[in-house]
């Protein structure tokens, strides 16, 4: 029996949810998109844009940490590489910043591929160590090549958009984050994603059952780094000045904390964590001083008491609510 | 001395022991036999405190010890020599033996125990500076038993000491157990080799699917029709 | 012309000696820190990222003991060591004990992330309490040693090297000869075996972590005149001691001693040859190459089992 009656609304909903855009998520996106219509303060809009940027970074981080279970401890180095690539191409060669952004993604993806290949003979914690060293090497390079990067004095980066309105940034970052989410999620839901998880859970068993860990590990690192590079490139044009300090390990920690507080392997968890923490710190100036203590302690507490993070909490609450709905 | 009553235990969500009751009196040599996967090792692990019982009781010298941490139970006087021995492979034979007496601080006492172990297994005295990881299979078994004896345990639990050994080594291990028993040691032995085990032990329990299926004096068990059919007849 | 060549030769030699000396003095600290890292990893399977913070605790403790309470140098350093021992014990009880109770699988990665969070939190806490001001002293001992004709080295540096070597030697004695030391080694080899001979794992873990922290604190205290106490003072020694344990293989305690001097001398040579900026690039480059060709470290230990845990 074929069912002929298909409402276009249902089709649209199915199509959207196949992209990972559930009604809740769509509502969040819509809500964010409507903010500039009601809120005049550029400061708030900017805060939301920054949260989106950090959320997207946490998502790119989680793509490696939460799925193949290898913490890229040099993540900030990759972000910084993207930032410097785009900035240097624009500043030194006078190329259009948009091309700079693409170059940032490509170069960082390439270095990510290289790092993934470097870590091939390594497993577990050694992968973290190796990527940490690569990240620190990138930072050391940025510090050493003063002629090119101006080192700690800072490199002035031209903006992406003619108009300096933060609203443009918000919309652009919103689009970028949504696209990144859809893209990463499609990969996670495909056979490739299955292989990622298999590697993450048991490397040897995955290999024994015919998954080629080499290929998938390199692929994962490449994609995650390319995303980091793209976002880093954007960051440079967004803030307008770059110093090698951006690549410091504690920036990795910040993103890592967001990703794990959000919930490892949840992609969106980190975005929600970013929207929770970043505006909170900013609105309560007195909290700013405690920012890193709070990040650090939250990471510690999450690890000890609730490794599932915000995403896990959300799942629990959702199941409870649905259970209650069904009861009466 | 040891009283296990209606013990249930397992691993995470897998229950292995459904109803195990057994007892060991001071000076007794008791055998626990049964097919592979029956739950013999799991029973010993629960008694030694490596896993916590889900139900039932374990009492040692009148004290209920179910759920106690392993190092605590060891200090009460129960030594457990595991199937895979858990030796400290990167340390010398001597260090392994010293560690066996970890809960004792009286050095004279420790030296006396060491003497006793070296008398029981002279080969260990020869190899006392060698790393435990470099010993042969039989020597490793002896070292594990020796380490278990260092604390002068009231109850010695041994899991399949003949596993993977050449017949000659098996004989010497069993001879050592017999000698210990004659000196008054209390032993709970797990084995698959039914005939040899029951010829040494005073009493035996036969386990199947996580339950005690049969029990009695060794001589009776050896004559038991069921046991003859399933284990002895097959050999 | 001959004279000029001779002069050059002596200059060069003087440089070589200077570089070797700096490297050795630095190597002592790295060895000390790396032994702590290796011990904590070998026994507890923790990739300790907050090791540098215990170095800082030691440095602050020594500063306050010496400058504020006016204790003499040796007492100041000893009390700093004791304090970092206590801090390590407390940190183990508060953080790692509950983590061990709750997560059995994924332990290595979870513990590593925990130390990362702890490091950030402690650094900011130090900053909050003591600000970013440098708290240092010019010298504990106001003399210099003439190690070679015309080459004087501050007594502090020599004593610091002596303290480092002495502490490592005492640790070695403790691990080899005492009941508790043997128990620590036993736990690192077979936890179940250790439990079954009556060793209380929780106690041993606490002791191990405290000892490791004490070594770091000792480093921070004894080098107070060279690197003052400030919230982020631990980063550099942390990174360098991680170099060390990586090149000798994680968990290799005795290799860490030699590795400390290798890294110390390498850094000092790289600094002499390349200058400040490129020295880091060279060290990191060497490390990456080394990991690439000898993933288990120079002295290849049996660490396969801990890779997966
Ligand atoms: N560490 C473990 N984790 C999970 N299951 C186990 C473990 N050890 C044993 N088992 C299971 O428990 C059952 C009984 O095992 P065991 O007690 O070793 O039997 P026996 O010693 O009688 O051969 C088996 O089905 C085995 O698969
Ligand atoms: Mg068994």
């Amino acid at each position: 029996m074929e069912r002929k009656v298909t409402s276009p609304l249902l089709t649209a909903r199915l199509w959207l949810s196949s992209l990972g855009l559930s009604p809740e998520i769509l509502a969040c996106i819509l809500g964010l998109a409507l903010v500039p219509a009601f809120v005049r303060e550029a400061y708030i809009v900017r805060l939301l844009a920054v949260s989106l940027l950090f959320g997207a970074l946490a998502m790119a981080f989680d793509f490696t940490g939460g799925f193949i279970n290898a913490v890229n401890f040099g993540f900030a180095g990759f972000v910084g590489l993207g930032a410097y690539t785009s900035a240097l191409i624009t500043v030194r060669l006078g190329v259009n910043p948009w091309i700079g952004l693409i170059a940032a993604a490509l170069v960082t993806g390439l270095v990510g591929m290289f790092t993934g290949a470097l870590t091939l003979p390594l497993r577990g914690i050694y992968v973290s160590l190796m990527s940490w060293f690569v990240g620190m090497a990138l930072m050391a390079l940025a510090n050493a090549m003063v002629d090119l990067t101006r080192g700690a004095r800072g490199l002035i980066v031209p903006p992406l958009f003619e108009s300096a309105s933060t609203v443009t940034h918000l919309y652009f970052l919103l689009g970028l984050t949504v696209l990144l989410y859809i893209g990463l999620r499609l990969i996670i839901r495909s056979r490739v994603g299955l292989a990622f998880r298999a590697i993450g859970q048991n490397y040897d068993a995955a290999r024994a059952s015919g998954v080629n860990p080499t290929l998938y590990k390199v692929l994962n690192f490449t994609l995650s780094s390319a995303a980091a590079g793209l976002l880093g490139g954007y960051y440079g044009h967004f803030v307008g000045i770059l110093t090698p300090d951006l690549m410091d390990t504690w920036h990795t920690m910040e993103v890592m904390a967001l990703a794990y507080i959000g919930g490892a392997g949840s992609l969106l968890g980190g975005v929600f964590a970013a929207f929770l923490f970043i505006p909170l710190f900013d609105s309560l100036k007195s909290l700013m001083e405690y920012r890193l203590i709070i990040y650090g302690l939250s990471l510690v507490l999450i690890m000890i008491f609730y490794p599932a993070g915000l995403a896990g909490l959300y799942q629990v609450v959702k199941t409870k609510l649905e259970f209650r709905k069904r009861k009466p | 001395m040891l009283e296990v009553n209606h013990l249930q235990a397992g691993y995470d969500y897998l229950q292995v022991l459904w109803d195990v009751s057994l007892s060991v009196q001071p000076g007794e040599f008791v055998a626990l036999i049964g097919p592979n996967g029956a739950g013999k090792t799991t029973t010993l692990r629960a008694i030694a405190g490596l896993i916590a019982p889900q139900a039932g009781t374990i009492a040692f010298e009148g004290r209920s010890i179910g759920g106690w941490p392993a190092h605590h139970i060891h200090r009460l006087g129960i030594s457990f020599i595991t199937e895979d021995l858990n030796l400290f492979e990167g340390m010398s034979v001597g260090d392994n033996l010293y560690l066996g007496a970890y809960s004792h601080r009286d050095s004279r006492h420790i030296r006396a125990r060491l003497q006793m172990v070296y008398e029981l297994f002279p080969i260990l005295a020869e190899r006392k500076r060698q790393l435990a990881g470099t010993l042969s299979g039989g020597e490793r078994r002896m070292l594990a038993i020796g380490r278990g004896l260092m604390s002068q345990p009231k109850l010695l639990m041994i899991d399949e000491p003949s596993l993977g050994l050449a017949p000659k080594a098996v004989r010497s291990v069993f001879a050592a157990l017999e000698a210990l028993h004659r000196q008054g040691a209390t032993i709970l032995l797990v084995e698959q080799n039914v005939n040899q085990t029951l010829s040494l032990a005073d009493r035996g329990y036969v386990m199947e699917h996580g339950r005690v299926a049969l029990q009695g004096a060794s001589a009776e068990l050896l004559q038991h029709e069921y046991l003859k059919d399933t284990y002895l007849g097959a050999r | 012309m001959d004279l000029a060549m001779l002069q050059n030769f002596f200059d060069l030699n003087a440089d070589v000696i200077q570089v070797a000396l700096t490297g050795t003095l630095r190597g002592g600290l790295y060895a000390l820190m790396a032994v702590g890292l290796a011990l904590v990893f070998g026994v507890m399977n923790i990739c300790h990222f907050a090791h540098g913070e215990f170095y800082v605790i030691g440095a602050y403790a020594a500063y306050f003991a010496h400058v504020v309470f006016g204790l003499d140098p040796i007492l100041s350093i000893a009390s700093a060591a004791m304090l970092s021992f206590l801090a390590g014990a407390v940190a183990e009880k508060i953080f790692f004990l509950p983590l061990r109770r709750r997560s059995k699988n994924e332990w290595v990665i979870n513990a590593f992330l925990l130390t990362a969070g702890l490091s950030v939190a402690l650094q900011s806490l130090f900053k909050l309490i003591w600000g970013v001001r440098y708290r240092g002293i010019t010298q504990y001992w106001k003399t210099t040693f003439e190690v070679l004709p015309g080459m004087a080295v501050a007594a502090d540096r020599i004593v610091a090297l002596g303290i480092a070597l002495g502490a490592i030697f005492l640790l070695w004695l403790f691990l080899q000869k005492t009941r508790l030391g043997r128990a620590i080694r036993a736990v690192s080899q077979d936890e179940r075996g250790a439990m079954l001979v009556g060793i209380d794992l929780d106690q041993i873990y606490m002791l191990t972590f405290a000892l490791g922290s004490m070594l770091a604190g000792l480093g921070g205290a004894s080098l107070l005149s060279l690197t003052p106490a400030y919230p982020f003072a631990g980063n550099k020694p942390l990174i360098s001691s991680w170099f060390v344990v990586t090149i000798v293989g994680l968990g290799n305690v005795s290799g860490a001693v030699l590795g400390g001097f290798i890294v110390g001398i390498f850094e000092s040579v790289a600094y002499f040859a390349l200058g400040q900026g490129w020295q880091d690039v060279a060290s990191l480059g060497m490390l990456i190459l080394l990991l690439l060709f000898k993933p288990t470290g120079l002295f290849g230990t049996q660490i396969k089992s801990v890779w997966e845990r």
Side-chain angles (χ1 to χ4, degrees), chain A residues 69 73 118 122-123 125-126 132-133 136-137 144 253 256 260 289-290 292-293 296 299-300 303-305, chain C residues 47 49 95 99 102 106 113-114 116-118 120 124 128 239 246 250 278 284 287-288 292 295 303 307-308:
Chain A
N69 204 6
F73 207 48
L118 276 184
L122 310 172
R123 294 188 205 172
I125 205 69
Y126 274 79
W132 186 38
F133 296 146
M136 282 198 295
M253 304 256 210
M256 190 166 88
Y260 279 95
E289 239 176 290
Y290 301 91
L292 288 175
I293 299 187
L299 188 58
V300 168
M303 282 299 119
I304 298 178
F305 298 108
Chain C
C47 284
F49 198 77
F95 299 112
L99 182 67
R102 276 169 198 266
E106 311 277 317
L113 291 171
L114 194 157
L118 188 61
V120 174
S124 342
L128 207 68
I239 293 172
T246 315
L250 296 188
W278 290 94
L284 284 157
L287 198 63
I288 290 169
L292 201 55
I303 42 170
W307 282 10
E308 297 291 301

Side-chain angles (χ1 to χ4, degrees), chain B residues 37-73:
Chain B
K40 305 182 295 294
T41 299
T42 307
T43 306
L44 295 193
R45 281 186 187 145
I47 298 171
L50 291 175
I51 56 176
Q54 291 159 357
T57 58
I58 305 172
F60 184 67
E61 296 189 316
R63 235 180 305 198
S64 170
I65 58 168
W68 283 28
H71 66 273
H72 239 124
I73 291 179

Side-chain angles (χ1 to χ4, degrees), chain A residues 17 237 269 284 301:
Chain A
S17 77
H237 297 290
L284 300 169
L301 294 178

Side-chain angles (χ1 to χ4, degrees), chain B residues 9-12 14-17 32-45 51 83 159-160 190 192 207 210, chain C residues 192:
Chain B
Y11 306 92
D12 290 331
L14 172 73
Q15 185 163 355
V16 173
L17 302 182
L32 188 58
I33 52 187
N36 228 331
K40 305 182 295 294
T41 299
T42 307
T43 306
L44 295 193
R45 281 186 187 145
I51 56 176
E83 238 169 326
D159 199 358
E160 304 215 25
V190 162
Q192 300 219 20
M207 276 190 74
Chain C
R192 177 169 284 186

Side-chain angles (χ1 to χ4, degrees), chain A residues 123-126, chain C residues 40-47 107-109 187-189 191 249-252 301-309:
Chain A
R123 294 188 205 172
I125 205 69
Y126 274 79
Chain C
V40 167
F41 183 81
V43 178
M44 307 175 71
N45 274 308
I46 296 175
C47 284
W107 162 262
V108 171
I109 206 88
V187 172
S188 82
Q189 294 188 9
E191 293 187 358
L250 296 188
N252 183 346
T301 39
Q302 323 112 320
I303 42 170
K304 189 129 202 290
S305 58
V306 294
W307 282 10
E308 297 291 301
R309 266 193 265 157

Side-chain angles (χ1 to χ4, degrees), chain B residues 74-75 86 88 90 95 102, chain C residues 179 182 185 189-190 196 198:
Chain B
H74 175 88
R75 286 173 193 181
N86 297 102
F88 309 121
D95 276 352
Y102 178 77
Chain C
R179 173 174 166 272
R182 244 187 239 123
R185 286 191 294 144
Q189 294 188 9
D190 195 313
L196 288 174

Side-chain angles (χ1 to χ4, degrees), chain C residues 193-230:
Chain C
M195 272 151 72
L196 288 174
V197 298
I199 295 173
D200 179 354
L201 292 188
D202 289 341
Q203 182 201 3
I204 293 300
Y205 287 139
M206 192 170 83
L207 177 65
T208 304
F209 201 81
L211 280 174
S213 307
M214 186 182 77
L215 295 184
L218 207 51
S222 58
L223 286 176
L224 191 59
S225 65
L226 289 158
T227 48
Y230 73 104

